[in-house]
Amino acid sequence: MTEKRIQQLIAKALASTAIDLTRYYHMCWWEGRLRCLHVHHTKDVHPVFFAAPGEAFAEALNERQWQLLTERIAAYCRTHNVTASGRPPRSKAGAREESSWQRPTLTGFDSIRLRRLLATAGSPETSTKAHVEGLRCLLETADTVSPEEVPRDVVTMNSRVRLKNRRGREEMRVSLVFPADASGNGDREPARVSVLTPTGLAILGRRVGDNVEGRVRIHELLYQPEAAGDFDL
C-alpha cells in the first residue's frame, strides 16, 4: 500500500469521527479497517498505531505525527498483507486465505523476549525502522499463550520452516531467529532469518498452510521448540 493511500485512509478515519475534546482517542485497526476511536471503545486487544487527546485530533495532526502514523500503518499492512482497498486480498483459496488474516499466535516467552528486543532497538536505521514498527504492531495484535499451549503448527521463535511458492515450484527452508543469530544461508540450509526482516515478520505466529508475503505458503513446520520440549530456546 502506498504512502499516499495510507494517508487517504487516515484522513477518512479522522473525517468520520465526531471528536470530543475531553476524551482520548487512538488510531487503530478495528473490524477490518482503519478507525479513529476513543481509547475505551473495546477491551479486546487490537492494533493501535497512535493515541492522543481529542484536541490533538481535532486541531489536525502535525507533520511528525503524520509520519509516525504512516510508518506504523505501512508496517502493519506489509506484515498482514493488506491491499490498497484496506482489506486482505481474496483468492480462490477462499477459507484458507481468510485464515491467514487471523491474529498471529505467540508464546508468552517469545513475547517477553521480542518486547525486550524492541526496548533495546534504540533508534534503528531507516532500512530497519519499518521492520521494528512491524514487530511492534505484531506484538500488539497477537494472541499470547503459554509455551505448553501453543498449537504445534504455529511458527515460534527458533522454529525451522519449509516455505513454498503457491505454485509449488520453489521452496526454501528457514530458521526464524533473533537478529544477533541471523546469517545468510550460503550453501547451508536452513537459512537463519531474522525476525526483523519481511520474511521473519510474515511467518512469526503463523500456521502451516497460511499464505504469507503474497505468493509464499508455509508448507511444513520442520521443528518447533515447544513441540520438542525445548522451552528455553
Side-chain angles (χ1 to χ4, degrees), residues 25-26 28 48 57 60 65 69 73 79 87 100 113 121 132 135 166 190 193 216:
Y25 292 80
H26 61 209
C28 63
V48 173
F57 288 103
Q65 290 168 336
L69 253 178
I73 295 168
T79 58
R87 296 183 180 276
S100 296
R113 294 186 294 172
V132 169
L135 178 57
R166 290 169 66 176
V193 174
V216 177

Side-chain angles (χ1 to χ4, degrees), residues 183-197:
S183 68
N185 62 335
D187 296 326
R188 299 177 58 187
E189 284 195 347
R192 294 194 296 274
V193 174
S194 168
V195 67
L196 290 181
T197 62

Side-chain angles (χ1 to χ4, degrees), residues 64-211:
R64 173 55 185 156
Q65 290 168 336
W66 271 98
Q67 180 185 2
L68 183 65
L69 253 178
T70 302
E71 290 173 352
R72 290 181 174 178
I73 295 168
Y76 178 83
C77 290
R78 279 193 298 272
T79 58
H80 291 76
N81 205 22
V82 177
T83 64
S85 66
R87 296 183 180 276
R90 300 298 297 271
S91 76
K92 295 179 181 179
R96 193 55 187 166
E97 193 75 14
E98 286 296 322
S99 71
S100 296
W101 181 243
Q102 294 177 1
R103 292 184 182 187
T105 301
L106 301 180
T107 69
F109 184 46
D110 283 349
S111 179
I112 290 171
R113 294 186 294 172
L114 291 168
R115 291 182 187 279
R116 287 175 181 167
L117 174 63
L118 288 180
T120 58
S123 299
E125 298 178 0
T126 302
S127 59
T128 60
K129 189 173 184 179
H131 302 147
V132 169
E133 292 299 336
L135 178 57
R136 195 186 312 278
C137 290
L138 190 151
L139 287 168
E140 292 175 351
T141 307
D143 290 325
T144 304
V145 299
S146 70
E148 293 80 7
E149 294 175 334
V150 68
R152 295 315 187 227
D153 62 346
V154 168
V155 180
T156 61
M157 291 304 301
N158 295 304
S159 290
R160 292 195 292 271
V161 184
R162 184 153 65 106
L163 305 174
K164 277 191 174 184
N165 69 12
R166 290 169 66 176
R167 294 183 178 180
R169 295 177 181 175
E170 298 179 7
E171 69 173 58
M172 175 174 61
R173 299 187 181 197
V174 301
S175 180
L176 180 61
V177 300
F178 289 91
D181 300 319
S183 68
N185 62 335
D187 296 326
R188 299 177 58 187
E189 284 195 347
R192 294 194 296 274
V193 174
S194 168
V195 67
L196 290 181
T197 62
T199 298
L201 287 171
I203 66 175
L204 175 62
R206 297 299 173 182
R207 308 181 78 140
V208 173
D210 281 351
N211 293 312

